[in-house]
Amino acid sequence: MPTPQQVVLLSGLSGAGKSVALRALEDLGYYCLDNLPAPLLPQAVSMLDLDGYPRVAIAVDARSAHNLTSLPEHLDALLQLNVDVRVLFLEANDETIIKRYSESRRSHPLSNGQLTVSECIGMEREVLGDIREMGHCIDTSGMAASKLRQWIRDFIVSDKAKLTLIFESFGFKHGIPLDADFVFDARCLPNPYYDPDLRPLTGMDQPVADFLMRQPTVGPYLTHILGFLERWLPEFERDQRSYVTVAIGCTGGQHRSVYLAEELKRHFARSRQVMIRHREQDGY
């Protein structure tokens, strides 16, 4: 049986990094199309398959808002063609997008000369809401372009047939990740920050790990998260989910959340496909 054509449908908010992602996909050997109207998806993919392009990436966004309501039926048409389709949605918080537009001095695609950038972002979130629910979300708030390119590569090489667990540490003082499916709050645990020797370290350093392992509340907290995920992940698999993002937060995203994310990764990597990111340390 021939290998199915691989198609990445890329969408997301303007200013969230779609151009960077599309260039990363091009570097990975994908034939890229930007701002293709949704009704042309099956036709374009079929023609590119006939022309010998086994990997295709197509960006669809709010610039073609009048066509987006029909996107689900066109995705179904692609699946009928035995195409391996992945949907990737990029988003960021309003503050990050406004800052990026201010620095680039570009106007928002939905701007009509009367709306503020903040109002345009709100409109775009509403227009793209259904697409967001179709695929895997990456929150690029504050993310460096190099880190986004790395995450695009990880997304592509992961086995779609298996559920991928993503563990993400973060600091509550910088906001909750927009792409989280579950959020666990580790601020109730003893904080290594108050030890001057541990303050400059992170949860990946052994002295911090030793400190947390000595605390009587850390072990049970970790056990309860493990038990919750072990119980409910099979339900996500039965629902044919490809990705589940588990975010663990502490105050600054340096010690407790990083340690817990690493421990969760270590546990589940024995039996599942796992990815990890530390938001406050990975170029955000």
Side-chain angles (χ1 to χ4, degrees):
M1 186 173 182
T3 302
Q5 186 184 24
Q6 296 178 7
V7 173
V8 174
L9 185 67
L10 177 67
S11 189
L13 301 179
S14 302
K18 294 193 301 299
S19 296
V20 173
L22 208 59
R23 286 195 295 271
L25 289 164
E26 190 172 35
D27 291 342
L28 290 168
Y30 281 75
Y31 184 93
C32 297
L33 297 172
D34 190 16
N35 194 27
L36 185 74
L40 297 180
L41 272 173
Q43 180 182 355
V45 169
S46 295
M47 290 180 62
L48 289 169
D49 190 28
L50 290 173
D51 287 343
Y53 293 96
R55 295 190 288 181
V56 178
I58 299 173
V60 176
D61 54 46
R63 289 173 291 176
S64 301
H66 59 287
N67 291 313
L68 293 181
T69 54
S70 62
L71 184 60
E73 64 182 83
H74 298 304
L75 281 177
D76 288 339
L78 288 182
L79 295 175
Q80 296 299 319
L81 295 172
N82 190 35
V83 175
D84 177 8
V85 181
R86 298 190 184 201
V87 180
L88 181 61
F89 190 93
L90 304 183
E91 60 183 330
N93 59 42
D94 289 13
E95 180 183 0
T96 295
I97 294 178
I98 291 172
K99 180 181 178 182
R100 288 172 180 170
Y101 271 104
S102 175
E103 291 173 346
S104 68
R105 299 184 179 179
R106 295 171 54 236
S107 61
H108 193 280
L110 299 185
S111 175
N112 59 5
Q114 298 178 336
L115 299 174
T116 65
V117 174
S118 182
E119 290 170 332
C120 289
I121 295 170
M123 289 178 56
E124 192 172 32
R125 288 192 191 280
E126 184 174 350
V127 168
L128 298 176
D130 290 340
I131 299 180
R132 185 189 186 281
E133 299 302 316
M134 295 179 187
H136 173 55
C137 296
I138 296 181
D139 180 1
T140 69
S141 302
M143 183 184 290
S146 58
K147 181 56 62 175
L148 177 55
R149 287 192 290 269
Q150 177 184 325
W151 274 95
I152 295 296
R153 289 193 294 269
D154 292 343
F155 172 77
I156 293 303
V157 301
S158 63
D159 187 348
K160 183 187 174 184
K162 299 178 182 178
L163 184 143
T164 299
L165 263 176
I166 301 172
F167 294 108
E168 178 174 4
S169 69
F170 73 95
F172 275 97
K173 68 179 182 180
H174 301 299
I176 296 174
L178 298 175
D179 50 5
D181 295 300
F182 296 105
V183 176
F184 293 96
D185 186 348
R187 289 175 294 183
C188 60
L189 303 177
N191 192 351
Y193 177 86
Y194 295 110
D195 184 327
D197 293 329
L198 301 180
R199 184 173 302 171
L201 305 180
T202 77
M204 288 185 285
D205 293 310
Q206 193 60 46
V208 173
D210 292 340
F211 170 88
L212 290 170
M213 284 188 289
R214 290 195 298 268
Q215 309 307 312
T217 54
V218 173
Y221 188 89
L222 180 62
T223 298
H224 286 149
I225 297 177
L226 289 170
F228 176 85
L229 293 175
E230 293 282 17
R231 166 62 184 86
W232 291 106
L233 284 176
E235 301 299 326
F236 281 88
E237 289 174 317
R238 276 189 276 275
D239 194 41
Q240 298 184 325
R241 283 283 295 272
S242 298
Y243 296 87
V244 171
T245 299
V246 180
I248 304 97
C250 59
T251 304
Q254 298 290 335
H255 298 104
R256 295 164 290 182
S257 60
V258 172
Y259 168 77
L260 290 170
E262 289 289 337
E263 289 299 304
L264 290 166
K265 180 198 74 171
R266 187 174 296 111
H267 174 86
F268 283 101
R270 301 169 189 154
S271 58
R272 294 183 178 273
Q273 191 166 234
V274 173
M275 297 165 60
I276 190 165
R277 57 180 156 187
H278 300 299
R279 192 181 74 175
E280 317 308 347
Q281 301 173 48
D282 286 350
Y284 282 59

